[in-house]
Amino acid sequence: MNIPEPSMLLDEEIYSRQLYVLGPLAMERIQKAKVLLSGLKGLGAEVAKNLVLMGIGSLTLHDPHPTCWSDLAAQVFLSENDLEKNRADASQKHLAQLNEAVQVFVHTGDITEDLLLNFQVVVLTASKLEEQLKVGTLCHKHGICFVVADVRGLVGQLFCDFGEDFIVQDPTESEPLTAAIQHISQGSPGILTLRREDNRNSFCDGDLVTFSGIEGMVELNGCSPRPIHVQEDGSLEIGDTTTFSRYLHGGIIIEVKRSKTVIHEPLNIALHQPRMVAQNHQQAHRAHCLHQAFCALHKFQQLHGRLPQPWDHADAEIVVGLAQALEPLKGREEEPLDEALLRTIALSSAGDLSPMAAILGAVAAQEVLKAISRKFMPLDQWLYFDALDCLPEDSLPNPEDCAPRGCRYDGQIAVFGAGFQKKLSLQHYFLVGTGAIGCELLKDFALVGLGAGGCGGVTIADMDHVELSNLSRQFLFRTHDVGRPKAEVAAEAAQKLNPDLRVTPFIRSLDPTTEHIFGDNFFSNIDGVVAALDSFPARHYVAARCTHYLKPLLEAGTQGTWGSASVFIPHVTEVYSGPVSASASEDVPHPVCTGRYFPSTAEHSLQWARNEFEALFQLSAKTINQQACTSLADMDRQQILTLLRLGVLGQRPQTWQDCVVWALGQWQFCFHYGIIQLLKHFPPDKVLEDGTPFWSSPKQCPQPLEFDTNQDMHLLYVLAAANLYAQMHGIPGSSDQTALRELLKLPQPDPQHLSLIFTNNLELTWTSAEFGPEMLKKLQEALEVWDKFPPLKPLMFEKDDSNFHMDFVTAAASLRSQNYGIIPFNYSQSKRIVGQIIPAIATTTAAVAGLVGLELYKVVYGARPLSAFRHSYLHLAENNFMRWVPSAPATQMFNCLKWTSWDRLKVPAGQPERTLESLLAHLQEQHGLRVRMLLYDQALLYSARWSSQKQAQHLSLR
């Protein structure tokens, strides 16, 4: 089979969030990759979906089997219309529609050695052990990365063989460490001292580092990687610097990330001496039992030509016996197998569940990406995952209830029974957010049949619209959906997956402004809430509503290859208590004086640059447009200075060259003259009254820059600023850097507005003096003249790559950092921070949605103990997977009263409705509780909620 070469064009807008996770080099490798995937049941479909969304070069599908009823419970691309059709053929068209840049083929013959040579990675799912051993041996022989993935009911298995000399070029998700240098001594060894604010950087003994931007000891700049030794005080030994020039100042130290070599055994060896991902001995023993269970199931299938029947105890006992008869694994000879665990696996092994396929399919696809991109450490070598905690402890299903019905849910009925399926169909759930996780959850809802019968249904709410950057993760959306409301598109797509699913979309957010829609009546008619939100304030609000209305809450979130899923059940688990924001300082602005005059971090510089954009190109334009109703007397000094910088005292620009002259003046004002003026007031040798140098850490003494057209950031600043200034004035701009460089080499007139500022008023920037009446009069007259022209266009910041907004912010922040000797952010980092872009990838999204689906089973079943539920955490880049039982709700006490955040103080039936005054009097008289703080909202006073915060008791009236 001849596989054509894939296209190499990368749409950075579509893959923008994925690029923040993988980087351009990894994406380049992914786009070249050719992958063979055999097996298109639910698990195989999930692997394929993720790989296509993430933009691999080509995917070849292989599956000789026809579609059957049990496939439909987990296979997102198949429907009743595809019964008896080949699974690969039926799936190919749908997969190709996910990403037009990916070539999707179908191979109809056998898997031969010649076929395998066309691919970099081969993945087998739902395959027999004999085929795994044959294909695995050939792949190992030819250096082809080999992945096996399998799911049997509520247990899953994953195996990787990347060869005996596989080099991982970038083992971790973290960026290389960087830090600013305070001093370097001459000696053997030379001692490098970091600036105090950079001592938090966790350099370790043996790390390799290089250097950049050092003045004086220039021999270190760009040197070959040097090993370091970390001393007790945090300083670093960097090797012999005796013969080097004396260190003057500046420079940064940069970690050089090391590659790692992975050695994998072929399957025929690893099968009998498996290396498994496990956190402790208990997990390792459970994985050992799961490994033998899969081997026994393969043996059963070989002997009987089928898998065990659903919940057939006779078949299960045969599987247990086969497992016990297997040769013990090397190193595990003394550990007996857990018979009860083996039996439960066998009883439920005939099922095919969407959440399990989503989880294992996500991890398998991530391993394929690791093989292709050589980014992140692969598994070593086996991973086992089970969710047998989804089964009820009190009454297990019976064979009759789990027998096939000839319906799309047969794969799920085989595990949980037809009675539970009926219960699922009658649920009414509320999904908040239809982004990447929301799309995956809707897919799972459609496949499991949540709300697909009777009075059941799913209500979704999302006020956002589909964007191009959504398409690499939010698989319910297509290119032609860009611009449409996400809720509408997602509802239509979900109903195509399962026509019986009832989906009601709201193009609304869930917040205090929509409580007239999502209020008492709404919440009284739903059974639970699932939150797929990308901000912590929104999560807190949704969680508060669920606590108020005593509704179960399932929620998930991701960042890059990190993911989590949580469950909160009234009176059973703790209530939601996530952070207020993504980081403690995410929404807290830096002090104005720090950002404007004394930056010490790249974040300070970036915030300053963002403020510059807003002041110069948005607020000043609005002020000038509204000058008739704006009094200069009401403006502060900084606002007036910004108007002067905008050129109000001069003539309005008429040409592109006028805009370039203005932009060059801004460069000089910010990065040269402004710094000189600052140093006049705060000289480098300035000392405070107590003898402390003024310029001591964290304040860095700045240095003025000299404009140089050969410096990229110098030119980029002028280019971006000139274009933004031109956009404000309706003047055609230019992106021709060569022409701009030539224009800047010509003698430039001194801009009138900056001359005035520098000669008369720059002093005001650093003092508390006010602008005099003469200046204000001139400025007012100038504003009136400008008002006769067409209004300026205020520029609202957008993080697009083609409008010069991010170019300006990146260049301004970088130059500001250069002034102060700070390590600047690059363009990509600046865009992520300023644009508040959360790095994201399809694999993590699918995995956390699957984890939520597992908890949904338990919630719908009802009356489960705390021990049944699981919070989950995963980090796909580092093969870290954890699930744990949530905490019980905290109990508060006061005298004889006990309560949790879920409890209510209710007025007994038949008693007259209490006033607030009488209710408080009753509490004091009966319980000795004197209420000191009230958290009151506009709801009825028919119930009350007890809560606690920082040792104080509060009564929340609802």
Side-chain angles (χ1 to χ4, degrees):
M1 182 179 183
N2 186 23
I3 308 298
E5 290 299 320
S7 168
M8 289 307 300
L9 295 176
L10 176 64
D11 191 322
E12 293 190 7
E13 186 171 359
I14 289 179
Y15 298 112
S16 60
R17 299 204 173 193
Q18 184 172 306
L19 277 164
Y20 286 116
V21 182
L22 300 175
L25 180 59
M27 276 303 303
E28 182 180 331
R29 291 173 178 153
I30 289 168
Q31 283 197 293
K32 295 178 181 178
K34 300 176 183 178
V35 178
L36 172 65
L37 170 64
S38 179
L40 266 296
K41 290 173 70 67
L43 174 57
E46 285 292 324
V47 176
K49 167 180 66 70
N50 293 327
L51 293 178
V52 172
L53 285 173
M54 293 186 292
I56 64 167
S58 71
L59 177 66
T60 299
L61 310 176
H62 171 263
D63 192 324
H65 302 291
T67 303
C68 61
W69 278 113
S70 63
D71 295 333
L72 304 188
Q75 222 282 23
V76 66
F77 302 115
L78 299 178
S79 68
E80 290 88 339
N81 296 329
D82 298 313
L83 293 171
E84 301 304 323
K85 295 179 182 178
N86 179 271
R87 287 193 293 234
D89 285 336
S91 302
Q92 188 270 341
K93 177 182 68 175
H94 301 289
L95 282 164
Q97 291 174 348
L98 290 180
N99 191 336
E100 296 174 356
V102 177
Q103 302 176 76
V104 183
F105 307 101
V106 174
H107 175 68
T108 56
D110 294 333
I111 297 179
T112 64
E113 185 170 5
D114 287 341
L115 175 71
L116 295 174
L117 295 176
N118 289 288
F119 304 99
Q120 287 81 53
V121 186
V122 173
V123 185
L124 300 186
T125 71
S127 54
K128 296 179 179 179
L129 182 59
E130 295 81 2
E131 183 181 25
Q132 294 174 10
L133 289 167
K134 182 190 77 171
V135 175
T137 300
L138 291 173
C139 286
H140 194 86
K141 171 185 173 183
H142 293 290
I144 301 166
C145 294
F146 178 58
V147 177
V148 174
D150 204 357
V151 170
R152 304 292 177 92
L154 285 164
V155 296
Q157 173 195 64
L158 190 61
F159 169 77
C160 295
D161 172 17
F162 293 176
E164 298 175 2
D165 189 26
F166 182 81
I167 298 175
V168 183
Q169 295 179 343
D170 190 356
T172 66
E173 191 169 5
S174 61
E175 293 286 333
L177 290 173
T178 59
I181 299 168
Q182 184 71 37
H183 181 72
I184 306 174
S185 68
Q186 288 176 301
S188 182
I191 305 299
L192 183 149
T193 306
L194 300 175
R195 287 184 179 173
R196 188 169 66 185
E197 65 273 12
D198 281 332
N199 273 333
R200 65 184 185 275
N201 287 290
S202 302
F203 286 103
C204 300
D205 276 350
D207 280 352
L208 296 179
V209 299
T210 188
F211 307 87
S212 174
I214 294 173
E215 294 190 26
M217 199 176 284
V218 295
E219 293 87 348
L220 287 174
N221 289 331
C223 68
S224 299
R226 287 180 157 231
I228 60 171
H229 172 65
V230 182
Q231 298 187 314
E232 289 186 5
D233 62 357
S235 61
L236 309 176
E237 294 182 3
I238 62 170
D240 190 358
T241 60
T242 306
T243 61
F244 291 174
S245 307
R246 185 173 64 87
Y247 175 81
L248 296 178
H249 60 81
I252 58 176
I253 178 172
I254 309 163
E255 176 194 16
V256 178
K257 295 180 78 171
R258 299 189 188 198
S259 62
K260 293 186 178 180
T261 300
V262 172
I263 300 173
H264 280 172
E265 301 285 358
L267 179 61
N268 62 323
I269 295 176
L271 191 65
H272 305 291
Q273 46 187 27
R275 305 198 300 259
M276 301 179 184
V277 176
Q279 303 292 330
N280 51 50
H281 178 77
Q282 183 180 2
Q283 285 188 14
H285 177 63
R286 190 173 183 90
H288 162 221
C289 294
L290 294 175
H291 183 84
Q292 295 297 72
F294 269 90
C295 292
L297 288 170
H298 280 300
K299 189 69 174 176
F300 183 99
Q301 189 173 16
Q302 183 184 20
L303 293 173
H304 299 276
R306 61 175 175 84
L307 290 172
Q309 295 294 330
W311 297 95
D312 186 303
H313 289 270
D315 281 356
E317 292 307 316
I318 294 174
V319 173
V320 172
L322 290 171
Q324 292 176 325
L326 291 170
E327 180 181 345
L329 301 176
K330 290 185 179 181
R332 300 280 179 179
E333 291 85 357
E334 303 301 321
E335 294 184 353
L337 297 174
D338 185 333
E339 287 191 21
L341 176 60
L342 294 172
R343 189 172 294 110
T344 304
I345 293 171
L347 288 169
S348 59
S349 63
D352 205 0
L353 302 174
S354 171
M356 289 296 296
I359 296 166
L360 270 295
V363 181
Q366 188 68 53
E367 294 307 301
V368 173
L369 287 194
K370 292 176 183 178
I372 296 167
S373 66
R374 298 181 178 266
K375 186 177 179 71
F376 309 146
M377 291 295 291
L379 288 173
D380 184 33
Q381 290 183 260
W382 293 92
L383 172 69
Y384 284 93
F385 177 87
D386 80 269
L388 295 170
D389 43 82
C390 290
L391 296 171
E393 295 108 341
D394 50 357
S395 59
L396 295 176
N398 61 69
E400 293 76 20
D401 194 37
C402 296
R405 262 63 174 174
C407 74
R408 66 175 299 122
Y409 307 116
D410 275 358
Q412 188 164 264
I413 288 172
V415 177
F416 296 110
F420 180 73
Q421 188 62 50
K422 178 71 172 177
K423 198 170 186 178
L424 270 171
S425 70
L426 298 177
Q427 295 290 302
H428 188 175
Y429 261 72
F430 184 27
L431 173 61
V432 188
T434 53
I437 299 174
C439 283
E440 290 287 340
L441 287 166
L442 264 180
K443 173 209 68 181
D444 289 342
F445 294 169
L447 293 177
V448 305
L450 182 74
C455 58
V458 175
T459 298
I460 60 178
D462 196 315
M463 66 180 295
D464 288 342
H465 291 67
V466 180
E467 298 177 5
L468 196 59
S469 63
N470 301 150
L471 302 185
S472 67
R473 304 171 325 284
Q474 302 175 19
F475 87 104
L476 295 182
F477 307 145
R478 302 291 181 268
T479 304
H480 59 264
D481 296 319
V482 171
R484 293 187 60 200
K486 286 185 177 180
E488 283 186 2
V489 179
E492 293 169 5
Q495 287 174 316
K496 289 178 182 177
L497 297 179
N498 184 347
D500 293 330
L501 182 67
R502 294 171 173 83
V503 186
T504 304
F506 282 87
I507 309 170
R508 299 272 188 165
S509 59
L510 186 64
D511 57 34
T513 67
T514 56
E515 289 183 4
H516 63 289
I517 299 172
F518 307 113
D520 293 352
N521 290 337
F522 177 83
F523 275 92
S524 66
N525 289 304
I526 63 173
D527 296 293
V529 177
V530 183
L533 298 162
D534 59 4
S535 80
F536 286 108
R539 292 180 187 176
H540 273 282
Y541 178 80
V542 172
R545 300 299 277 173
C546 291
T547 304
H548 176 74
Y549 289 108
L550 296 178
K551 297 298 179 181
L553 170 65
L554 299 161
E555 74 94 26
T558 70
Q559 180 167 328
T561 64
W562 305 75
S564 65
S566 304
V567 54
F568 304 96
I569 308 298
H571 304 296
V572 177
T573 73
E574 61 196 340
V575 297
Y576 177 84
S577 59
V580 176
S581 62
S583 66
S585 61
E586 177 183 325
D587 299 315
V588 180
H590 301 291
V592 173
C593 61
T594 299
R596 188 178 297 166
Y597 306 136
F598 311 121
S600 59
T601 68
E603 287 84 359
H604 291 159
S605 297
L606 197 57
Q607 182 65 54
W608 173 85
R610 181 67 178 82
N611 292 344
E612 278 282 286
F613 179 95
E614 187 173 274
L616 287 174
F617 306 116
Q618 182 188 136
L619 298 180
S620 59
K622 290 181 178 179
T623 299
I624 291 173
N625 292 344
Q626 299 168 4
Q627 67 85 24
C629 55
T630 302
S631 172
L632 292 177
D634 296 332
M635 295 184 189
D636 60 28
R637 290 179 297 107
Q638 195 62 33
Q639 289 175 304
I640 295 175
L641 182 62
T642 300
L643 289 179
L644 292 172
R645 288 178 59 190
L646 199 65
V648 171
L649 292 181
Q651 295 182 349
R652 282 184 63 149
Q654 303 295 318
T655 66
W656 166 245
Q657 185 172 357
D658 292 341
C659 297
V660 171
V661 170
W662 177 86
L664 180 60
Q666 297 306 308
W667 193 100
Q668 298 288 2
F669 175 76
C670 292
F671 311 114
H672 182 76
Y673 292 118
I675 300 299
I676 291 174
Q677 191 67 26
L678 177 64
L679 292 174
K680 285 183 180 179
H681 286 274
F682 306 107
D685 57 357
K686 181 178 176 62
V687 177
L688 300 176
E689 291 182 359
D690 62 359
T692 304
F694 177 85
W695 294 106
S696 58
S697 186
K699 292 196 293 289
Q700 307 298 327
C701 184
Q703 299 292 325
L705 303 181
E706 297 290 340
F707 184 77
D708 183 353
T709 58
N710 295 316
Q711 294 290 325
D712 290 342
M713 280 300 167
H714 296 207
L715 193 69
L716 180 61
Y717 178 93
V718 174
L719 179 71
N723 273 281
L724 296 174
Y725 194 61
Q727 291 172 27
M728 287 175 61
H729 291 276
I731 298 171
S734 170
S735 58
D736 189 335
Q737 293 194 30
T738 302
L740 176 62
R741 185 173 279 111
E742 293 303 316
L743 180 60
L744 290 170
K745 289 179 181 178
L746 300 175
Q748 300 295 332
D750 187 23
Q752 297 177 27
H753 57 284
L754 288 181
S755 297
L756 183 61
I757 293 172
F758 292 142
T759 56
N760 299 321
N761 296 292
L762 191 56
E763 188 79 11
L764 298 173
T765 310
W766 321 114
T767 69
S768 59
E770 299 296 335
F771 285 95
E774 184 178 347
M775 169 58 68
L776 294 178
K777 181 180 179 181
K778 288 182 179 180
L779 188 55
Q780 188 67 57
E781 292 172 352
L783 285 172
E784 292 171 3
V785 172
W786 275 46
D787 189 49
K788 297 177 182 179
F789 290 87
L792 299 180
K793 178 185 177 182
L795 304 182
M796 305 301 293
F797 181 82
E798 297 176 352
K799 58 181 182 290
D800 296 343
D801 291 327
S802 58
N803 57 14
F804 293 102
H805 295 197
M806 274 309 308
D807 292 317
F808 175 84
V809 171
T810 301
S814 179
L815 293 166
R816 186 72 162 176
S817 293
Q818 289 180 41
N819 278 138
Y820 286 86
I822 298 168
I823 304 168
F825 289 129
N826 60 31
Y827 181 92
S828 177
Q829 293 169 321
S830 299
K831 183 177 179 179
R832 179 175 62 82
I833 296 169
V834 174
Q836 298 183 328
I837 298 172
I838 300 174
I841 192 169
T843 47
T844 320
T845 298
V848 298
L851 291 166
V852 168
L854 295 179
E855 299 310 303
L856 178 66
Y857 285 143
K858 305 169 190 178
V859 176
V860 172
Y861 183 85
R864 298 293 298 273
L866 177 66
S867 59
F869 296 99
R870 298 290 185 274
H871 288 333
S872 301
Y873 160 89
L874 58 85
H875 188 193
L876 296 179
E878 297 185 3
N879 308 314
N880 196 344
F881 309 90
M882 293 189 294
R883 300 176 75 218
W884 67 96
V885 177
S887 299
T891 300
Q892 309 298 327
M893 297 183 63
F894 184 87
N895 290 342
C896 60
L897 289 176
K898 291 184 179 180
W899 70 92
T900 75
S901 294
W902 296 107
D903 289 320
R904 300 288 186 273
L905 179 67
K906 297 182 179 179
V907 178
Q911 289 194 10
E913 187 172 312
R914 290 185 183 272
T915 65
L916 177 60
E917 183 179 2
S918 65
L919 177 60
L920 299 182
H922 168 79
L923 290 171
Q924 183 172 352
E925 178 182 344
Q926 296 295 318
H927 305 289
L929 178 61
R930 186 171 296 174
V931 179
R932 298 184 183 278
M933 180 183 293
L934 295 177
L935 305 176
Y936 181 81
D937 66 10
Q938 272 111 45
L940 297 174
L941 298 180
Y942 64 85
S943 67
R945 178 168 71 86
W946 297 93
S947 65
S948 78
Q949 182 179 4
K950 296 181 180 178
Q951 310 302 320
Q953 279 73 42
H954 307 279
L955 179 64
S956 178
L957 297 175
R958 301 291 180 185

